[in-house]
Amino acid sequence: MSPSTLPSWPPSLSAEQHEYLLLLASTYALSHGFILLPPKSSSPPTHTFAAPLSLFPTPFPRQLYDFAREIQPIYNALYARVALDWEFLDRVMGGSVSKVDTFQGELWRGWRQVREELVQPIQLGIFRSDYLLHSTSTKSDMELKQVEFNTIAASFGALSQRAGEMHRYLASATDQYFGVSSYLEEESSYPHNESLEQIGAGLAEGFKAYGKKDAAVLFVVQDGERNVFDQRWLEYELLERHGIRVIRHTFSELANLAQIDRTTKTLLLPSPFLPNAAPTEIAVIYYRSAYTPSDYPSSSEWTTRLLLERSRAIKCPSMALQLAGAKKIQQVLCEPGVLEDFLLSEDRPDVGFGHGSGSLSQADVDKLRETWIGLWPMDDSEYGREAYHLATTQPERFVLKPQREGGGNNIYRTDIPSALEALAKADRAPGEPEKKEGYILMELITPPQGLHNWLVKGGESKARKADVVSELGVYGVMLFGDEEVVLNRGAGTLLRTKGRESDEGGVAIGKFCLCEICVPFG
């Protein structure tokens, strides 16, 4: 059983201890690359600051932490099977969502345009399943509830590992945090997290599956990226541990550089710095952009995305796997019988655990459903009409989610009725569904009360004590084809902690802090 309450936190420090701890944390972060670029940074950059951090690790129930890690390979297998089911993707994403959501519509139509031309059956997924603790007055124990499943640009794997290393250093340098709490004195309070190494190893496995030692990995990145060090650590990991070179380009740069060999469909990139050198062959395309409409300011970016999709390079993710991560897919999977069909049907491709580690079972289905909370469509179905009634009569219980990644797009609580009213008044083309059908309704997860921590916003030299909410992310890596699994495993964890007053936020804008997990109880 998981605990019903979290321990009193954080432990008390003297003013001198607090200042010393803040100094140690800040200097460790700066000297170990646990950093971000400031807004509007110069090129090349001349200044950085420590990534948002917490002075203490954050307590999390051991049983639920272990459970989240245990089920990650099942989630990996589920979303791989979704990506391979073209008929399902067409029905769900090619329906009303593609008609009312311009971005998802472009993604689905682009994928449909090129999918019969695809020459690379292998797909690489670097996933992250995000959870919150859920505690209600009607239940004595905390539960683990999934917020979302990310199939593209699942970030902070490298910096999360650095956060854990920082907290282990702080414990060592302060005699286990000055001996102020028994929770900080056990080795198990600082679980080893090797998300950087494991995500890097997943990219290396994709490179190996491609089979060309003189090829490279392409990172497709955003202009003005502030979270560049999280990406650079992966680049250095690939080069130093695996001997794999990384090339970084934005969509706008690739529009002028990317070439595909007409015969082999090999993706080739000439060097803008060595015009007489032979172009570099690309084995794996790893997207750290391409997940938001602002990444496609013109038709040129979509043209480039389709060019890359047609190539023989292994995509991380493919367009199909990106579509599988949409909020609408998450909602439909919750409908009766859908999850069972994907995990238990004998007609599905044998994309399970891989390496002969066993098939999927009813127990696996039950474990995933245990992490779900109420999800409804916003269409004219029976479920959709129920959702509309709930959203307009009990809005304080819900969040309205569009098909977007990256945070900052959701509509919460009492803002929902007016938002639905505005969507109903929005202009529609003849035959176009209502705009609300591009959204899903999700029951709000209720994090337990009373947990605090000292948070340090990036670029600031002081900490503030805040009532906090922590979101656990579990990374997964999966390399799979139409009929086989090469690799399926968990790949470390991420804990992001923010002040309870903030519904939305991100690490890069200072609302979330990166923490190591403290799991000494339960």
mmCIF file of all heavy atoms in Angstrom, residues 50-87:
data_model
loop_
_atom_site.group_PDB
_atom_site.id
_atom_site.type_symbol
_atom_site.label_atom_id
_atom_site.label_comp_id
_atom_site.label_asym_id
_atom_site.label_seq_id
_atom_site.Cartn_x
_atom_site.Cartn_y
_atom_site.Cartn_z
ATOM 1 N N ALA A 50 22.295 28.775 -13.767
ATOM 2 C CA ALA A 50 21.892 27.461 -13.294
ATOM 3 C C ALA A 50 20.443 27.191 -13.666
ATOM 4 O O ALA A 50 19.590 28.084 -13.597
ATOM 5 C CB ALA A 50 22.076 27.370 -11.775
ATOM 6 N N ALA A 51 20.158 25.971 -14.069
ATOM 7 C CA ALA A 51 18.777 25.588 -14.342
ATOM 8 C C ALA A 51 17.962 25.693 -13.052
ATOM 9 O O ALA A 51 18.509 25.562 -11.949
ATOM 10 C CB ALA A 51 18.725 24.160 -14.875
ATOM 11 N N PRO A 52 16.655 25.958 -13.146
ATOM 12 C CA PRO A 52 15.824 25.986 -11.936
ATOM 13 C C PRO A 52 16.006 24.702 -11.123
ATOM 14 O O PRO A 52 15.988 23.598 -11.680
ATOM 15 C CB PRO A 52 14.406 26.111 -12.485
ATOM 16 C CG PRO A 52 14.582 26.767 -13.825
ATOM 17 C CD PRO A 52 15.871 26.236 -14.362
ATOM 18 N N LEU A 53 16.215 24.845 -9.846
ATOM 19 C CA LEU A 53 16.530 23.685 -9.010
ATOM 20 C C LEU A 53 15.871 23.802 -7.636
ATOM 21 O O LEU A 53 15.407 24.867 -7.243
ATOM 22 C CB LEU A 53 18.043 23.519 -8.868
ATOM 23 C CG LEU A 53 18.854 24.699 -8.310
ATOM 24 C CD1 LEU A 53 18.905 24.689 -6.782
ATOM 25 C CD2 LEU A 53 20.267 24.692 -8.885
ATOM 26 N N SER A 54 15.852 22.687 -6.931
ATOM 27 C CA SER A 54 15.378 22.664 -5.542
ATOM 28 C C SER A 54 16.571 22.365 -4.646
ATOM 29 O O SER A 54 17.464 21.599 -5.007
ATOM 30 C CB SER A 54 14.298 21.599 -5.357
ATOM 31 O OG SER A 54 14.842 20.308 -5.535
ATOM 32 N N LEU A 55 16.576 22.962 -3.466
ATOM 33 C CA LEU A 55 17.690 22.731 -2.555
ATOM 34 C C LEU A 55 17.637 21.347 -1.925
ATOM 35 O O LEU A 55 18.671 20.778 -1.589
ATOM 36 C CB LEU A 55 17.703 23.797 -1.456
ATOM 37 C CG LEU A 55 18.036 25.218 -1.900
ATOM 38 C CD1 LEU A 55 18.136 26.147 -0.692
ATOM 39 C CD2 LEU A 55 19.320 25.264 -2.724
ATOM 40 N N PHE A 56 16.447 20.793 -1.775
ATOM 41 C CA PHE A 56 16.293 19.444 -1.241
ATOM 42 C C PHE A 56 15.684 18.537 -2.308
ATOM 43 O O PHE A 56 14.915 19.004 -3.163
ATOM 44 C CB PHE A 56 15.367 19.439 -0.017
ATOM 45 C CG PHE A 56 15.968 20.021 1.221
ATOM 46 C CD1 PHE A 56 15.727 21.336 1.583
ATOM 47 C CD2 PHE A 56 16.780 19.241 2.037
ATOM 48 C CE1 PHE A 56 16.280 21.869 2.731
ATOM 49 C CE2 PHE A 56 17.333 19.768 3.196
ATOM 50 C CZ PHE A 56 17.096 21.088 3.539
ATOM 51 N N PRO A 57 15.998 17.252 -2.259
ATOM 52 C CA PRO A 57 15.211 16.314 -3.065
ATOM 53 C C PRO A 57 13.770 16.310 -2.565
ATOM 54 O O PRO A 57 13.488 16.759 -1.450
ATOM 55 C CB PRO A 57 15.899 14.970 -2.836
ATOM 56 C CG PRO A 57 16.601 15.130 -1.533
ATOM 57 C CD PRO A 57 16.985 16.581 -1.425
ATOM 58 N N THR A 58 12.862 15.831 -3.382
ATOM 59 C CA THR A 58 11.440 15.865 -3.031
ATOM 60 C C THR A 58 10.938 14.466 -2.702
ATOM 61 O O THR A 58 11.142 13.536 -3.485
ATOM 62 C CB THR A 58 10.621 16.456 -4.195
ATOM 63 O OG1 THR A 58 11.014 17.819 -4.379
ATOM 64 C CG2 THR A 58 9.134 16.401 -3.908
ATOM 65 N N PRO A 59 10.275 14.281 -1.569
ATOM 66 C CA PRO A 59 9.756 12.956 -1.210
ATOM 67 C C PRO A 59 8.744 12.443 -2.230
ATOM 68 O O PRO A 59 7.944 13.199 -2.771
ATOM 69 C CB PRO A 59 9.089 13.198 0.145
ATOM 70 C CG PRO A 59 9.747 14.417 0.689
ATOM 71 C CD PRO A 59 10.047 15.269 -0.507
ATOM 72 N N PHE A 60 8.803 11.140 -2.453
ATOM 73 C CA PHE A 60 7.857 10.476 -3.359
ATOM 74 C C PHE A 60 7.694 9.047 -2.859
ATOM 75 O O PHE A 60 8.674 8.395 -2.505
ATOM 76 C CB PHE A 60 8.410 10.473 -4.789
ATOM 77 C CG PHE A 60 7.369 10.318 -5.861
ATOM 78 C CD1 PHE A 60 6.809 11.440 -6.460
ATOM 79 C CD2 PHE A 60 6.949 9.066 -6.268
ATOM 80 C CE1 PHE A 60 5.853 11.301 -7.458
ATOM 81 C CE2 PHE A 60 5.991 8.923 -7.253
ATOM 82 C CZ PHE A 60 5.443 10.039 -7.853
ATOM 83 N N PRO A 61 6.469 8.523 -2.806
ATOM 84 C CA PRO A 61 6.256 7.171 -2.279
ATOM 85 C C PRO A 61 7.047 6.123 -3.072
ATOM 86 O O PRO A 61 6.943 6.038 -4.297
ATOM 87 C CB PRO A 61 4.745 6.954 -2.438
ATOM 88 C CG PRO A 61 4.173 8.335 -2.463
ATOM 89 C CD PRO A 61 5.195 9.181 -3.157
ATOM 90 N N ARG A 62 7.813 5.330 -2.356
ATOM 91 C CA ARG A 62 8.681 4.348 -3.001
ATOM 92 C C ARG A 62 7.891 3.386 -3.884
ATOM 93 O O ARG A 62 8.291 3.081 -5.016
ATOM 94 C CB ARG A 62 9.440 3.553 -1.929
ATOM 95 C CG ARG A 62 10.417 2.535 -2.492
ATOM 96 C CD ARG A 62 10.963 1.642 -1.380
ATOM 97 N NE ARG A 62 11.572 2.418 -0.312
ATOM 98 C CZ ARG A 62 12.841 2.815 -0.326
ATOM 99 N NH1 ARG A 62 13.606 2.514 -1.347
ATOM 100 N NH2 ARG A 62 13.323 3.495 0.688
ATOM 101 N N GLN A 63 6.772 2.883 -3.384
ATOM 102 C CA GLN A 63 6.004 1.890 -4.137
ATOM 103 C C GLN A 63 5.516 2.456 -5.465
ATOM 104 O O GLN A 63 5.561 1.786 -6.497
ATOM 105 C CB GLN A 63 4.813 1.417 -3.307
ATOM 106 C CG GLN A 63 3.957 0.376 -4.010
ATOM 107 C CD GLN A 63 2.731 -0.016 -3.196
ATOM 108 O OE1 GLN A 63 2.471 0.535 -2.133
ATOM 109 N NE2 GLN A 63 1.968 -0.965 -3.710
ATOM 110 N N LEU A 64 5.057 3.701 -5.466
ATOM 111 C CA LEU A 64 4.541 4.299 -6.695
ATOM 112 C C LEU A 64 5.676 4.661 -7.657
ATOM 113 O O LEU A 64 5.517 4.573 -8.874
ATOM 114 C CB LEU A 64 3.699 5.527 -6.353
ATOM 115 C CG LEU A 64 2.442 5.243 -5.532
ATOM 116 C CD1 LEU A 64 1.651 6.536 -5.301
ATOM 117 C CD2 LEU A 64 1.553 4.196 -6.202
ATOM 118 N N TYR A 65 6.802 5.074 -7.110
ATOM 119 C CA TYR A 65 7.981 5.330 -7.945
ATOM 120 C C TYR A 65 8.414 4.052 -8.654
ATOM 121 O O TYR A 65 8.647 4.042 -9.878
ATOM 122 C CB TYR A 65 9.100 5.877 -7.068
ATOM 123 C CG TYR A 65 10.423 6.048 -7.761
ATOM 124 C CD1 TYR A 65 10.608 7.036 -8.730
ATOM 125 C CD2 TYR A 65 11.504 5.244 -7.428
ATOM 126 C CE1 TYR A 65 11.831 7.200 -9.355
ATOM 127 C CE2 TYR A 65 12.733 5.414 -8.049
ATOM 128 C CZ TYR A 65 12.894 6.389 -9.008
ATOM 129 O OH TYR A 65 14.108 6.550 -9.622
ATOM 130 N N ASP A 66 8.504 2.951 -7.921
ATOM 131 C CA ASP A 66 8.892 1.673 -8.520
ATOM 132 C C ASP A 66 7.853 1.196 -9.529
ATOM 133 O O ASP A 66 8.189 0.640 -10.581
ATOM 134 C CB ASP A 66 9.082 0.618 -7.433
ATOM 135 C CG ASP A 66 10.290 0.889 -6.548
ATOM 136 O OD1 ASP A 66 11.186 1.657 -6.981
ATOM 137 O OD2 ASP A 66 10.346 0.342 -5.424
ATOM 138 N N PHE A 67 6.580 1.415 -9.209
ATOM 139 C CA PHE A 67 5.500 0.993 -10.110
ATOM 140 C C PHE A 67 5.569 1.750 -11.438
ATOM 141 O O PHE A 67 5.420 1.157 -12.514
ATOM 142 C CB PHE A 67 4.152 1.234 -9.431
ATOM 143 C CG PHE A 67 2.962 0.860 -10.273
ATOM 144 C CD1 PHE A 67 2.729 -0.446 -10.653
ATOM 145 C CD2 PHE A 67 2.053 1.835 -10.695
ATOM 146 C CE1 PHE A 67 1.635 -0.792 -11.432
ATOM 147 C CE2 PHE A 67 0.953 1.505 -11.462
ATOM 148 C CZ PHE A 67 0.745 0.185 -11.834
ATOM 149 N N ALA A 68 5.808 3.072 -11.384
ATOM 150 C CA ALA A 68 5.903 3.861 -12.613
ATOM 151 C C ALA A 68 7.034 3.368 -13.505
ATOM 152 O O ALA A 68 6.897 3.304 -14.738
ATOM 153 C CB ALA A 68 6.100 5.340 -12.268
ATOM 154 N N ARG A 69 8.145 3.009 -12.911
ATOM 155 C CA ARG A 69 9.266 2.493 -13.694
ATOM 156 C C ARG A 69 8.944 1.102 -14.250
ATOM 157 O O ARG A 69 9.324 0.775 -15.382
ATOM 158 C CB ARG A 69 10.518 2.444 -12.832
ATOM 159 C CG ARG A 69 10.979 3.822 -12.361
ATOM 160 C CD ARG A 69 12.274 3.745 -11.582
ATOM 161 N NE ARG A 69 13.380 3.328 -12.446
ATOM 162 C CZ ARG A 69 14.625 3.142 -12.009
ATOM 163 N NH1 ARG A 69 14.900 3.304 -10.731
ATOM 164 N NH2 ARG A 69 15.569 2.777 -12.843
ATOM 165 N N GLU A 70 8.246 0.291 -13.477
ATOM 166 C CA GLU A 70 7.922 -1.075 -13.881
ATOM 167 C C GLU A 70 7.051 -1.109 -15.141
ATOM 168 O O GLU A 70 7.245 -1.951 -16.022
ATOM 169 C CB GLU A 70 7.203 -1.784 -12.730
ATOM 170 C CG GLU A 70 6.639 -3.156 -13.077
ATOM 171 C CD GLU A 70 5.648 -3.654 -12.045
ATOM 172 O OE1 GLU A 70 5.678 -3.160 -10.892
ATOM 173 O OE2 GLU A 70 4.828 -4.540 -12.392
ATOM 174 N N ILE A 71 6.086 -0.188 -15.238
ATOM 175 C CA ILE A 71 5.121 -0.270 -16.342
ATOM 176 C C ILE A 71 5.577 0.479 -17.591
ATOM 177 O O ILE A 71 4.882 0.428 -18.613
ATOM 178 C CB ILE A 71 3.742 0.257 -15.904
ATOM 179 C CG1 ILE A 71 3.806 1.744 -15.504
ATOM 180 C CG2 ILE A 71 3.173 -0.602 -14.789
ATOM 181 C CD1 ILE A 71 2.464 2.339 -15.144
ATOM 182 N N GLN A 72 6.727 1.147 -17.554
ATOM 183 C CA GLN A 72 7.135 1.912 -18.735
ATOM 184 C C GLN A 72 7.273 1.048 -19.983
ATOM 185 O O GLN A 72 6.811 1.456 -21.062
ATOM 186 C CB GLN A 72 8.443 2.662 -18.458
ATOM 187 C CG GLN A 72 8.861 3.594 -19.594
ATOM 188 C CD GLN A 72 7.836 4.685 -19.884
ATOM 189 O OE1 GLN A 72 7.204 5.188 -18.963
ATOM 190 N NE2 GLN A 72 7.674 5.043 -21.150
ATOM 191 N N PRO A 73 7.870 -0.159 -19.932
ATOM 192 C CA PRO A 73 7.933 -0.977 -21.158
ATOM 193 C C PRO A 73 6.557 -1.346 -21.711
ATOM 194 O O PRO A 73 6.412 -1.520 -22.935
ATOM 195 C CB PRO A 73 8.715 -2.218 -20.717
ATOM 196 C CG PRO A 73 9.550 -1.743 -19.566
ATOM 197 C CD PRO A 73 8.667 -0.759 -18.847
ATOM 198 N N ILE A 74 5.546 -1.459 -20.850
ATOM 199 C CA ILE A 74 4.190 -1.752 -21.344
ATOM 200 C C ILE A 74 3.666 -0.539 -22.108
ATOM 201 O O ILE A 74 3.079 -0.676 -23.195
ATOM 202 C CB ILE A 74 3.237 -2.093 -20.174
ATOM 203 C CG1 ILE A 74 3.833 -3.159 -19.261
ATOM 204 C CG2 ILE A 74 1.887 -2.566 -20.721
ATOM 205 C CD1 ILE A 74 3.021 -3.413 -17.993
ATOM 206 N N TYR A 75 3.873 0.654 -21.556
ATOM 207 C CA TYR A 75 3.473 1.860 -22.279
ATOM 208 C C TYR A 75 4.230 1.995 -23.592
ATOM 209 O O TYR A 75 3.665 2.397 -24.621
ATOM 210 C CB TYR A 75 3.704 3.099 -21.404
ATOM 211 C CG TYR A 75 2.491 3.517 -20.611
ATOM 212 C CD1 TYR A 75 2.516 3.550 -19.224
ATOM 213 C CD2 TYR A 75 1.312 3.883 -21.259
ATOM 214 C CE1 TYR A 75 1.400 3.935 -18.492
ATOM 215 C CE2 TYR A 75 0.198 4.271 -20.540
ATOM 216 C CZ TYR A 75 0.241 4.295 -19.160
ATOM 217 O OH TYR A 75 -0.879 4.675 -18.448
ATOM 218 N N ASN A 76 5.524 1.678 -23.585
ATOM 219 C CA ASN A 76 6.287 1.728 -24.835
ATOM 220 C C ASN A 76 5.641 0.852 -25.902
ATOM 221 O O ASN A 76 5.454 1.268 -27.054
ATOM 222 C CB ASN A 76 7.719 1.232 -24.602
ATOM 223 C CG ASN A 76 8.536 2.119 -23.690
ATOM 224 O OD1 ASN A 76 8.154 3.248 -23.380
ATOM 225 N ND2 ASN A 76 9.674 1.610 -23.243
ATOM 226 N N ALA A 77 5.318 -0.385 -25.513
ATOM 227 C CA ALA A 77 4.720 -1.330 -26.458
ATOM 228 C C ALA A 77 3.368 -0.836 -26.952
ATOM 229 O O ALA A 77 3.037 -0.963 -28.140
ATOM 230 C CB ALA A 77 4.575 -2.702 -25.793
ATOM 231 N N LEU A 78 2.562 -0.263 -26.057
ATOM 232 C CA LEU A 78 1.248 0.246 -26.453
ATOM 233 C C LEU A 78 1.370 1.295 -27.546
ATOM 234 O O LEU A 78 0.693 1.217 -28.578
ATOM 235 C CB LEU A 78 0.536 0.821 -25.231
ATOM 236 C CG LEU A 78 -0.746 1.614 -25.504
ATOM 237 C CD1 LEU A 78 -1.810 0.723 -26.134
ATOM 238 C CD2 LEU A 78 -1.261 2.266 -24.221
ATOM 239 N N TYR A 79 2.220 2.289 -27.332
ATOM 240 C CA TYR A 79 2.294 3.380 -28.305
ATOM 241 C C TYR A 79 2.998 2.965 -29.591
ATOM 242 O O TYR A 79 2.727 3.529 -30.656
ATOM 243 C CB TYR A 79 2.928 4.609 -27.655
ATOM 244 C CG TYR A 79 1.900 5.369 -26.846
ATOM 245 C CD1 TYR A 79 1.637 5.035 -25.519
ATOM 246 C CD2 TYR A 79 1.130 6.369 -27.420
ATOM 247 C CE1 TYR A 79 0.659 5.697 -24.785
ATOM 248 C CE2 TYR A 79 0.157 7.039 -26.699
ATOM 249 C CZ TYR A 79 -0.076 6.696 -25.387
ATOM 250 O OH TYR A 79 -1.059 7.352 -24.685
ATOM 251 N N ALA A 80 3.864 1.967 -29.522
ATOM 252 C CA ALA A 80 4.414 1.413 -30.755
ATOM 253 C C ALA A 80 3.310 0.764 -31.581
ATOM 254 O O ALA A 80 3.238 0.936 -32.810
ATOM 255 C CB ALA A 80 5.505 0.389 -30.429
ATOM 256 N N ARG A 81 2.439 0.030 -30.929
ATOM 257 C CA ARG A 81 1.334 -0.619 -31.642
ATOM 258 C C ARG A 81 0.357 0.412 -32.216
ATOM 259 O O ARG A 81 -0.187 0.225 -33.304
ATOM 260 C CB ARG A 81 0.614 -1.593 -30.718
ATOM 261 C CG ARG A 81 1.449 -2.814 -30.385
ATOM 262 C CD ARG A 81 0.714 -3.824 -29.528
ATOM 263 N NE ARG A 81 1.510 -5.028 -29.367
ATOM 264 C CZ ARG A 81 1.082 -6.137 -28.779
ATOM 265 N NH1 ARG A 81 -0.150 -6.193 -28.288
ATOM 266 N NH2 ARG A 81 1.873 -7.186 -28.661
ATOM 267 N N VAL A 82 0.132 1.494 -31.495
ATOM 268 C CA VAL A 82 -0.724 2.557 -32.027
ATOM 269 C C VAL A 82 -0.108 3.128 -33.300
ATOM 270 O O VAL A 82 -0.795 3.346 -34.303
ATOM 271 C CB VAL A 82 -0.930 3.667 -30.978
ATOM 272 C CG1 VAL A 82 -1.613 4.874 -31.606
ATOM 273 C CG2 VAL A 82 -1.761 3.142 -29.807
ATOM 274 N N ALA A 83 1.194 3.381 -33.284
ATOM 275 C CA ALA A 83 1.862 3.961 -34.451
ATOM 276 C C ALA A 83 1.810 3.048 -35.662
ATOM 277 O O ALA A 83 1.833 3.523 -36.809
ATOM 278 C CB ALA A 83 3.314 4.287 -34.106
ATOM 279 N N LEU A 84 1.740 1.747 -35.431
ATOM 280 C CA LEU A 84 1.695 0.790 -36.541
ATOM 281 C C LEU A 84 0.281 0.557 -37.065
ATOM 282 O O LEU A 84 0.118 -0.082 -38.106
ATOM 283 C CB LEU A 84 2.298 -0.546 -36.091
ATOM 284 C CG LEU A 84 3.804 -0.536 -35.798
ATOM 285 C CD1 LEU A 84 4.228 -1.859 -35.165
ATOM 286 C CD2 LEU A 84 4.607 -0.274 -37.064
ATOM 287 N N ASP A 85 -0.721 1.071 -36.382
ATOM 288 C CA ASP A 85 -2.115 0.845 -36.786
ATOM 289 C C ASP A 85 -2.607 2.039 -37.604
ATOM 290 O O ASP A 85 -3.175 2.986 -37.068
ATOM 291 C CB ASP A 85 -2.988 0.642 -35.542
ATOM 292 C CG ASP A 85 -4.386 0.139 -35.884
ATOM 293 O OD1 ASP A 85 -4.869 0.434 -37.001
ATOM 294 O OD2 ASP A 85 -4.996 -0.534 -35.031
ATOM 295 N N TRP A 86 -2.388 2.001 -38.898
ATOM 296 C CA TRP A 86 -2.765 3.115 -39.768
ATOM 297 C C TRP A 86 -4.260 3.363 -39.763
ATOM 298 O O TRP A 86 -4.715 4.507 -39.792
ATOM 299 C CB TRP A 86 -2.290 2.834 -41.191
ATOM 300 C CG TRP A 86 -0.804 2.835 -41.358
ATOM 301 C CD1 TRP A 86 0.130 2.920 -40.360
ATOM 302 C CD2 TRP A 86 -0.087 2.765 -42.580
ATOM 303 N NE1 TRP A 86 1.391 2.902 -40.895
ATOM 304 C CE2 TRP A 86 1.289 2.809 -42.257
ATOM 305 C CE3 TRP A 86 -0.448 2.652 -43.915
ATOM 306 C CZ2 TRP A 86 2.282 2.748 -43.234
ATOM 307 C CZ3 TRP A 86 0.533 2.601 -44.888
ATOM 308 C CH2 TRP A 86 1.883 2.646 -44.545
ATOM 309 N N GLU A 87 -5.051 2.289 -39.738
ATOM 310 C CA GLU A 87 -6.503 2.447 -39.756
ATOM 311 C C GLU A 87 -6.979 3.190 -38.505
ATOM 312 O O GLU A 87 -7.844 4.071 -38.586
ATOM 313 C CB GLU A 87 -7.176 1.069 -39.838
ATOM 314 C CG GLU A 87 -8.693 1.135 -39.907
ATOM 315 C CD GLU A 87 -9.337 -0.238 -40.010
ATOM 316 O OE1 GLU A 87 -8.601 -1.228 -40.245
ATOM 317 O OE2 GLU A 87 -10.565 -0.326 -39.850
#
